[in-house]
PDB file of all heavy atoms in Angstrom:
ATOM      1  N   VAL A  12      71.470  -8.489 -77.669  1.00 97.00           N
ATOM      2  CA  VAL A  12      71.721  -9.810 -77.064  1.00 97.00           C
ATOM      3  C   VAL A  12      70.484 -10.690 -77.287  1.00 97.00           C
ATOM      4  O   VAL A  12      70.576 -11.885 -77.558  1.00 97.00           O
ATOM      5  CB  VAL A  12      72.064  -9.696 -75.587  1.00 97.00           C
ATOM      6  CG1 VAL A  12      72.242 -11.059 -74.933  1.00 97.00           C
ATOM      7  CG2 VAL A  12      73.307  -8.867 -75.375  1.00 97.00           C
ATOM      8  N   ALA A  14      68.423 -10.550 -79.812  1.00 97.00           N
ATOM      9  CA  ALA A  14      68.437 -10.972 -81.210  1.00 97.00           C
ATOM     10  C   ALA A  14      69.436 -12.101 -81.426  1.00 97.00           C
ATOM     11  O   ALA A  14      69.146 -13.099 -82.122  1.00 97.00           O
ATOM     12  CB  ALA A  14      68.708  -9.794 -82.120  1.00 97.00           C
ATOM     13  N   VAL A  18      68.477 -15.822 -82.752  1.00 98.00           N
ATOM     14  CA  VAL A  18      69.065 -16.375 -83.972  1.00 98.00           C
ATOM     15  C   VAL A  18      69.702 -17.733 -83.652  1.00 98.00           C
ATOM     16  O   VAL A  18      69.516 -18.702 -84.400  1.00 98.00           O
ATOM     17  CB  VAL A  18      70.084 -15.406 -84.570  1.00 98.00           C
ATOM     18  CG1 VAL A  18      70.954 -16.118 -85.598  1.00 98.00           C
ATOM     19  CG2 VAL A  18      69.389 -14.222 -85.207  1.00 98.00           C
ATOM     20  N   GLY A  33      64.189 -34.107 -91.660  1.00 98.00           N
ATOM     21  CA  GLY A  33      64.625 -33.693 -93.025  1.00 98.00           C
ATOM     22  C   GLY A  33      64.048 -32.381 -93.513  1.00 98.00           C
ATOM     23  O   GLY A  33      64.252 -31.997 -94.649  1.00 98.00           O
ATOM     24  N   ARG A  89      61.543 -10.619 -97.233  1.00 98.00           N
ATOM     25  CA  ARG A  89      62.321 -10.761 -98.489  1.00 98.00           C
ATOM     26  C   ARG A  89      63.592  -9.897 -98.392  1.00 98.00           C
ATOM     27  O   ARG A  89      64.701 -10.345 -98.706  1.00 98.00           O
ATOM     28  CB  ARG A  89      61.489 -10.287 -99.669  1.00 98.00           C
ATOM     29  CG  ARG A  89      62.127 -10.585-101.032  1.00 98.00           C
ATOM     30  CD  ARG A  89      61.558  -9.710-102.126  1.00 98.00           C
ATOM     31  NE  ARG A  89      61.971  -8.305-102.002  1.00 98.00           N
ATOM     32  CZ  ARG A  89      61.548  -7.349-102.804  1.00 98.00           C
ATOM     33  NH1 ARG A  89      60.700  -7.607-103.785  1.00 98.00           N
ATOM     34  NH2 ARG A  89      61.960  -6.100-102.642  1.00 98.00           N
ATOM     35  N   GLU A 101      60.010 -22.418-104.191  1.00 98.00           N
ATOM     36  CA  GLU A 101      58.747 -23.124-103.819  1.00 98.00           C
ATOM     37  C   GLU A 101      58.633 -23.398-102.313  1.00 98.00           C
ATOM     38  O   GLU A 101      57.605 -23.844-101.828  1.00 98.00           O
ATOM     39  CB  GLU A 101      58.632 -24.451-104.621  1.00 98.00           C
ATOM     40  CG  GLU A 101      59.680 -25.521-104.298  1.00 98.00           C
ATOM     41  CD  GLU A 101      60.943 -25.332-105.153  1.00 98.00           C
ATOM     42  OE1 GLU A 101      61.122 -24.240-105.737  1.00 98.00           O
ATOM     43  OE2 GLU A 101      61.733 -26.279-105.214  1.00 98.00           O
ATOM     44  N   PRO A 133      48.506 -29.275 -89.097  1.00 96.00           N
ATOM     45  CA  PRO A 133      49.993 -29.350 -89.203  1.00 96.00           C
ATOM     46  C   PRO A 133      50.654 -28.695 -88.010  1.00 96.00           C
ATOM     47  O   PRO A 133      50.166 -27.699 -87.470  1.00 96.00           O
ATOM     48  CB  PRO A 133      50.293 -28.617 -90.490  1.00 96.00           C
ATOM     49  CG  PRO A 133      49.117 -27.755 -90.771  1.00 96.00           C
ATOM     50  CD  PRO A 133      47.943 -28.332 -90.073  1.00 96.00           C
ATOM     51  N   GLY A 141      55.497 -11.769 -82.175  1.00 98.00           N
ATOM     52  CA  GLY A 141      55.774 -10.526 -81.502  1.00 98.00           C
ATOM     53  C   GLY A 141      54.648 -10.237 -80.537  1.00 98.00           C
ATOM     54  O   GLY A 141      53.725 -11.025 -80.386  1.00 98.00           O
ATOM     55  N   THR A 148      48.993 -10.511 -80.955  1.00 98.00           N
ATOM     56  CA  THR A 148      50.104 -11.271 -81.531  1.00 98.00           C
ATOM     57  C   THR A 148      49.646 -11.822 -82.877  1.00 98.00           C
ATOM     58  O   THR A 148      48.453 -12.027 -83.071  1.00 98.00           O
ATOM     59  CB  THR A 148      50.605 -12.389 -80.611  1.00 98.00           C
ATOM     60  OG1 THR A 148      51.863 -12.884 -81.075  1.00 98.00           O
ATOM     61  CG2 THR A 148      49.606 -13.509 -80.509  1.00 98.00           C
ATOM     62  N   LEU A 151      46.045 -11.450 -84.361  1.00 98.00           N
ATOM     63  CA  LEU A 151      44.979 -11.747 -83.407  1.00 98.00           C
ATOM     64  C   LEU A 151      44.886 -10.576 -82.438  1.00 98.00           C
ATOM     65  O   LEU A 151      45.619 -10.510 -81.457  1.00 98.00           O
ATOM     66  CB  LEU A 151      45.311 -13.054 -82.647  1.00 98.00           C
ATOM     67  CG  LEU A 151      45.451 -14.319 -83.538  1.00 98.00           C
ATOM     68  CD1 LEU A 151      46.013 -15.453 -82.758  1.00 98.00           C
ATOM     69  CD2 LEU A 151      44.082 -14.712 -84.160  1.00 98.00           C
ATOM     70  N   ALA A 157      38.715 -13.368 -85.128  1.00 98.00           N
ATOM     71  CA  ALA A 157      39.674 -14.478 -85.356  1.00 98.00           C
ATOM     72  C   ALA A 157      40.012 -15.209 -84.046  1.00 98.00           C
ATOM     73  O   ALA A 157      40.364 -16.378 -84.062  1.00 98.00           O
ATOM     74  CB  ALA A 157      40.952 -13.925 -85.976  1.00 98.00           C
ATOM     75  N   ILE A 178      45.272 -11.102 -92.636  1.00 98.00           N
ATOM     76  CA  ILE A 178      45.099 -12.561 -92.729  1.00 98.00           C
ATOM     77  C   ILE A 178      45.992 -13.165 -91.620  1.00 98.00           C
ATOM     78  O   ILE A 178      47.144 -12.741 -91.489  1.00 98.00           O
ATOM     79  CB  ILE A 178      45.549 -13.113 -94.111  1.00 98.00           C
ATOM     80  CG1 ILE A 178      44.652 -12.512 -95.217  1.00 98.00           C
ATOM     81  CG2 ILE A 178      45.495 -14.632 -94.151  1.00 98.00           C
ATOM     82  CD1 ILE A 178      45.260 -11.367 -95.949  1.00 98.00           C
ATOM     83  N   PRO A 250      55.952 -18.633 -64.049  1.00 44.00           N
ATOM     84  CA  PRO A 250      56.203 -20.049 -63.964  1.00 44.00           C
ATOM     85  C   PRO A 250      57.388 -20.438 -64.853  1.00 44.00           C
ATOM     86  O   PRO A 250      57.577 -19.906 -65.941  1.00 44.00           O
ATOM     87  CB  PRO A 250      54.899 -20.680 -64.478  1.00 44.00           C
ATOM     88  CG  PRO A 250      54.250 -19.619 -65.291  1.00 44.00           C
ATOM     89  CD  PRO A 250      54.680 -18.312 -64.695  1.00 44.00           C
TER      90      PRO A 250
END
Side-chain angles (χ1 to χ4, degrees):
V12 177
V18 165
R89 188 200 72 182
E101 65 273 16
T148 193
L151 300 168
I178 297 100

